[in-house]
């Protein structure tokens, strides 16, 4: 845990619970009694704050006073003080996680006015218990009222006043938006959305421009940006619709709304994305450009979202992929290459012609690697052209072309047209058929540097895939100069990771055989804390497997591909498999063994 959030030490045995609202003088006395403040300092603070009126909560007032813990010298900020108070009286401290709160249920427990008066916020609603967050843990006269109203027992948890104020406003605003949006539902059953698959005349009862719907969509994007989501999923069900965020590669259920409200949200998003709102029977694609709201990391920066709709049994499923320029368009130096890999990659991309392939599953960071590399190469002296499906990010330094199946403009046709545009460097979104592969090879043979992607498990398997497509091995050996396989692995949360005593030198070498990890392992495992939403991970890092096509590898390809020989030659030529790259990250303490085993393939010693 970081110093700012570590709870100051309190008495070993919880004190008797007082009654009533928290008072500044009582807090100062308790801090002094527990040895966290000097008596003189507490008296000065009492005199200083006693001369000014403030609507701030006592914990917030003391937290902003710049106090230091007398026992360990750590800051006594608002969170540290709240943790200390919880420990002193045996209470549960909690950070409010917006991803785990059903905001639509808060208004079912108490009204906004009641919540603001009692300094209380419902954060969990179960069949027998309601959990209420509060910053007034000793003012409990109202508890019996809520227990009688909900017919459930109440559990109080202590939260910081800042969290309580912020999320009370946001959750009730969202609940109100859902309530307003539902007013126009009428009597149509949510199950009727199944009819939309076959009935073009079906219409939603809610208006896409309804104020409640607009507010819900705005809230959705704001939370997605705050939570560092890469994708937003709207998934219609029979009676409700699920909203999920993909964060660090893993989906999290965020919220559930009535099916009719989700249909209106979908219509609103399609309208903003310039898609056909009436058409529900076929998939559609669109784009939305917006800005991060002020108050979130990167506030004010432009964000682009790629939209995709798909008809399902109960309505249209919508996926919004968020392209944050700060994530997709990283500087080349921040991609995460090791020193040797960085040197080899820069030597490859400096060559005048040839094919360089980047491989990995969807969401493995291929786009980020290619865009950052191309941006480094796109000087005023060269012509960089791309054919993409779709164009992920608009980059002024490139000449970007969108594949359009409706007018027979595929990768092969686009590449054929680019050949007449005097290019120096070409990027093809994906090689997925023989025709595109042949055009890429033709471009490389005529003196162009070609970048593209292929979906395979590792670098050597990419050569096998090209052969399977029908490309002659002699053309592959003559044009392909390098293959980069990559994955994204979740990084351990630095606030809660714990040493993994089972991962010593011998265990690491056994997993890495026949490679060796040239460092003393400092392995950690995931634990989970409020900072990482109890997942144990926060953020992601790239793993790379770079195969430079040298003469021994060309011999293994021609005249006939021998994959076993190719893999042996690649390993002897310095290739380090993805799993070994991941184990190196484990030895550094950057990620866990479980995460590496989950996201990397086993090296096939054919």
């Amino acid at each position: 845990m970081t110093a700012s959030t570590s709870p100051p030490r309190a008495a070993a045995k919880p004190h008797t619970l007082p009654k009533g609202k928290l008072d500044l003088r009582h807090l100062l006395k308790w801090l002094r009694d527990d040895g966290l403040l000097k008596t003189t300092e507490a008296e000065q603070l009492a005199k200083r704050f006693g001369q000014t009126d403030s609507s701030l909560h006592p914990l917030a007032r003391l937290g902003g006073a710049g106090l230091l813990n007398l026992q360990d010298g750590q800051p006594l900020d608002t969170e540290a003080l709240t943790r200390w108070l919880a420990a002193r009286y045996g209470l549960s401290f909690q950070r409010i996680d917006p991803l785990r709160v059903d905001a639509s249920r808060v208004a079912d427990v108490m009204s906004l006015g009641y919540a603001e008066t009692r300094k209380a916020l419902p954060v969990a609603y179960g069949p027998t218990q309601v959990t209420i967050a509060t910053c007034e843990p000793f003012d409990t006269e109202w508890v019996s009222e809520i227990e009688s109203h909900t017919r459930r027992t109440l559990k109080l948890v202590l939260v910081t006043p800042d969290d309580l104020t912020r999320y009370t406003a946001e959750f009730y605003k969202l609940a109100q938006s859902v309530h307003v949006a539902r007013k126009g539902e009428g009597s149509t059953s949510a199950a009727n959305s199944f009819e939309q698959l076959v009935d073009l005349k079906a219409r939603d009862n809610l208006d896409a421009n309804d104020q409640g719907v607009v507010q819900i969509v705005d809230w959705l994007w704001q939370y997605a940006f705050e939570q560092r989501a890469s994708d937003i999923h709207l998934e219609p069900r029979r009676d409700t619709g699920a909203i999920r965020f993909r964060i660090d590669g893993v989906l999290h259920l965020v919220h559930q709304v009535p099916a009719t409200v989700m249909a209106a949200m979908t219509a609103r998003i399609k309208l903003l994305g310039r898609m056909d709102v009436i058409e529900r029977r076929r998939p559609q694609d669109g784009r939305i450009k917006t800005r991060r709201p002020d108050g979130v990391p990167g506030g004010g920066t432009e964000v682009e979202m790629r939209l995709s709709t798909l008809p399902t049994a109960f309505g249209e499923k919508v996926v919004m992929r968020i392209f944050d320029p700060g994530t997709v368009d990283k500087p080349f130096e921040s991609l995460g290459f090791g020193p040797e890999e960085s040197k080899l990659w820069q030597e490859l991309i400096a060559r005048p012609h040839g094919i360089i392939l980047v491989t990995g599953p969807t969401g493995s960071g291929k786009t980020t690697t290619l865009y950052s590399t191309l941006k480094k190469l796109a000087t005023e002296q060269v012509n960089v052209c791309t054919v993409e499906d779709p164009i992920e990010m608009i980059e002024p330094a490139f000449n970007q072309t969108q594949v359009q199946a409706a007018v027979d403009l595929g990768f092969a046709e686009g590449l054929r047209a680019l050949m007449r545009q005097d290019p120096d460097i070409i990027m093809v979104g994906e090689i997925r058929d023989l025709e595109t592969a042949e055009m890429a090879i033709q471009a490389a043979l005529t003196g162009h540097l070609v970048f593209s992607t292929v979906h395979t498990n590792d670098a050597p398997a990419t050569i096998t895939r090209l052969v399977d497509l029908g490309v002659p091995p002699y053309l592959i050996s003559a044009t392909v100069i390098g293959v980069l396989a990559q994955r994204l692995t979740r990084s351990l949360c630095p606030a809660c990771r714990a040493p993994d005593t089972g991962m010593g030198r011998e265990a690491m070498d056994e997993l890495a055989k026949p490679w060796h990890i040239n460092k003393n392992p400092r392995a950690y495992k995931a634990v989970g804390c409020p900072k990482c939403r109890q997942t144990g991970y926060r953020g992601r890092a790239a793993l790379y497997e770079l195969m430079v096509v040298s003469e021994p590898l060309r011999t293994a390809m021609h005249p006939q591909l021998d994959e076993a020989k190719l893999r042996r030659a690649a390993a002897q030529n310095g290739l380090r498999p993805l799993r070994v790259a991941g184990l190196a990250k484990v030895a550094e303490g950057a990620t866990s063994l479980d995460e590496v085993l989950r996201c990397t393939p086993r090296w096939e010693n054919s």
Side-chain angles (χ1 to χ4, degrees):
M1 249 198 226
T2 57
S4 61
T5 59
S6 298
R9 291 189 294 273
K13 183 179 180 180
H15 295 262
T16 303
L17 290 177
K19 296 291 183 181
K21 291 186 178 294
L22 283 173
D23 181 83
L24 188 69
R25 291 172 299 172
H26 289 156
L27 284 175
L28 289 171
K29 179 182 181 301
W30 297 337
L31 286 167
R32 184 191 61 198
D33 291 347
D34 289 351
L36 274 65
L37 286 182
K38 294 179 180 178
T39 301
T40 54
E41 188 177 14
E43 292 173 351
Q44 290 173 357
L45 286 168
K47 185 180 297 185
R48 170 184 161 191
F49 286 125
Q51 296 173 351
T52 58
D53 294 328
S54 175
S55 59
L56 280 178
H57 190 275
L59 286 171
R61 293 182 74 186
L62 286 178
L67 304 179
L68 295 178
N69 188 336
L70 191 62
Q71 295 176 354
D72 56 18
Q74 298 298 331
L76 284 174
D77 57 16
T78 304
E79 182 172 326
L81 287 169
T82 309
R83 286 179 178 272
W84 157 76
L85 187 64
R88 190 177 206 271
Y89 288 101
L91 305 172
S92 297
F93 172 83
Q94 183 173 314
R95 277 183 172 174
I96 298 177
D97 185 348
L99 297 185
R100 298 180 182 272
V101 178
D102 185 355
S104 62
R105 301 302 300 268
V106 297
D108 296 339
V109 179
M110 60 181 69
S111 67
L112 173 60
Y114 193 97
E116 290 177 334
T117 300
R118 298 300 185 183
K119 302 295 183 186
L121 177 65
V123 292
Y125 192 93
T128 60
Q129 187 182 70
V130 177
T131 302
I132 306 288
T134 182
C135 58
E136 291 289 353
F138 312 130
D139 180 21
T140 57
E141 294 179 354
W142 53 273
V143 167
S144 58
E145 297 176 2
I146 300 300
E147 287 183 331
S148 175
H149 169 65
T150 61
R151 297 182 180 180
R152 288 163 172 80
T153 59
L154 254 64
K155 175 187 176 184
L156 293 181
V157 295
L158 190 59
V159 298
T160 65
D162 298 337
D163 270 5
L164 190 75
T165 302
R166 173 191 173 186
Y167 289 114
T168 298
E170 292 187 359
F171 291 164
Y172 276 93
K173 181 180 178 182
L174 175 61
Q176 177 64 21
S177 298
V178 173
H179 175 71
V180 170
R182 293 193 65 174
K183 282 185 177 179
E185 284 186 25
S187 59
T188 302
S189 170
N192 287 344
S193 56
F194 185 84
E195 304 289 333
Q196 295 174 2
L197 289 172
V198 292
D199 186 3
L200 271 175
K201 296 181 180 180
R203 295 292 186 271
D204 295 322
N205 293 311
L206 298 181
D207 183 1
N209 292 314
D210 181 88
Q211 187 60 33
V213 176
V214 172
Q215 290 176 348
I216 295 172
V217 173
D218 289 344
W219 165 86
L220 179 69
W221 290 341
Q222 175 186 341
Y223 269 114
F225 298 148
E226 284 183 356
Q227 301 300 325
R228 303 176 295 107
S230 61
D231 300 85
I232 305 171
H233 291 239
L234 304 186
E235 301 174 345
R237 301 287 187 264
R238 182 179 296 276
D239 299 313
T240 61
I243 300 174
R244 297 199 288 172
F245 291 169
R246 187 176 295 279
I247 303 171
D248 295 337
V250 178
L251 281 171
H252 299 263
L253 179 64
V254 177
H255 194 51
Q256 290 185 324
V257 297
T260 47
V261 175
M262 175 155 287
M265 292 172 64
T266 299
R268 171 72 180 169
I269 291 165
K270 289 173 67 177
L271 188 68
L272 295 174
R274 300 181 181 180
M275 301 159 74
D276 187 346
V277 179
I278 303 301
E279 178 58 74
R280 299 179 177 89
R281 298 181 303 174
R282 61 182 178 85
Q284 296 187 62
D285 295 310
R287 285 180 179 274
I288 293 177
K289 204 172 266 190
T290 184
R291 287 187 178 276
R292 287 177 174 271
D294 294 333
V296 306
T301 59
E302 191 174 82
V303 177
E304 190 164 327
M305 289 183 284
R306 191 179 78 203
L307 312 181
S308 173
T309 67
L310 180 72
T312 67
F314 298 106
E316 287 181 286
K317 181 180 186 296
V318 180
V319 174
M320 291 169 272
R321 170 154 285 191
I322 301 171
F323 291 105
D324 186 345
T327 301
V328 176
D329 189 19
K330 284 186 175 181
F332 179 82
E333 293 73 22
S334 65
L335 288 178
F337 282 108
E340 294 182 6
E341 293 162 338
S342 178
K343 180 182 177 183
L344 289 172
W345 183 249
Q346 296 199 58
E347 289 174 357
L348 280 177
I349 65 177
R351 296 193 189 184
H353 55 81
I355 298 176
I356 299 175
L357 299 172
V358 180
T359 183
T362 301
S364 59
K366 300 187 299 294
T367 298
T368 300
T369 299
L370 284 172
Y371 270 59
S372 300
T373 300
L374 289 176
K375 192 170 182 180
K376 179 181 178 67
L377 296 174
T379 63
E380 294 181 355
Q381 290 76 38
V382 297
N383 178 20
V384 179
C385 301
T386 73
V387 186
E388 304 174 62
D389 182 24
I391 295 174
E392 307 282 18
M393 285 289 296
I394 302 299
E395 175 51 59
F398 311 157
N399 299 292
Q400 296 170 284
T401 302
Q402 168 75 53
V403 165
Q404 299 184 56
V407 294
D408 294 326
L409 177 60
F411 284 122
E413 292 78 13
L415 189 49
R416 187 178 292 111
L418 284 186
M419 294 285 286
R420 298 189 288 271
Q421 289 286 313
D422 186 31
D424 296 292
I425 299 171
I426 298 172
M427 195 270 276
V428 186
E430 182 183 349
I431 293 179
R432 57 177 67 152
D433 54 42
L434 178 59
E435 188 179 8
T436 305
E438 288 177 338
M439 286 305 304
I441 287 170
Q442 187 62 35
L445 290 173
T446 53
H448 303 90
L449 184 61
V450 181
F451 291 87
S452 190
T453 68
V454 183
H455 290 286
T456 58
N457 279 335
D458 58 17
T462 304
I463 305 300
T464 305
R465 176 64 54 82
L466 294 176
V467 172
D468 290 342
L469 287 176
V471 181
Y474 73 90
L475 287 178
I476 299 175
S477 66
T479 55
V480 177
I481 60 175
V483 182
L484 180 72
Q486 67 179 81
R487 294 289 190 281
L488 290 178
T489 179
R490 291 183 293 171
S491 300
L492 285 167
C493 174
C496 64
R497 65 179 186 175
D500 187 351
T501 55
M503 282 302 296
R505 162 67 67 182
E506 292 182 2
M508 194 75 73
D509 285 343
E510 182 65 28
L511 287 168
K513 272 185 180 179
W515 286 268
H516 296 282
I517 306 299
N518 296 323
K519 58 186 69 179
N520 291 320
R522 293 178 300 159
Y524 291 83
K525 58 185 177 182
V527 176
C529 70
K531 284 190 173 181
C532 58
R533 296 181 298 275
Q534 305 301 329
T535 64
Y537 300 94
R538 184 173 176 83
R540 289 191 290 177
L543 304 178
Y544 296 105
E545 173 184 299
L546 180 56
M547 183 178 77
V548 178
V549 179
S550 59
E551 196 57 40
L553 275 71
R554 293 190 180 93
T555 302
M557 296 180 204
H558 180 64
Q560 186 174 356
L561 176 64
D562 184 337
E563 186 173 349
K565 186 177 179 181
L566 176 68
R567 287 182 176 275
R568 287 195 296 270
Q572 293 168 2
N573 199 48
L575 178 144
R576 184 178 65 164
L578 285 165
R579 179 154 295 181
V580 176
L583 291 172
K585 292 284 188 183
V586 173
E588 295 171 2
T591 189
S592 69
L593 176 62
D594 289 342
E595 177 66 8
V596 168
L597 296 178
R598 181 191 69 85
C599 71
T600 60
R602 186 171 62 89
W603 177 258
E604 298 291 341
N605 292 308
S606 303

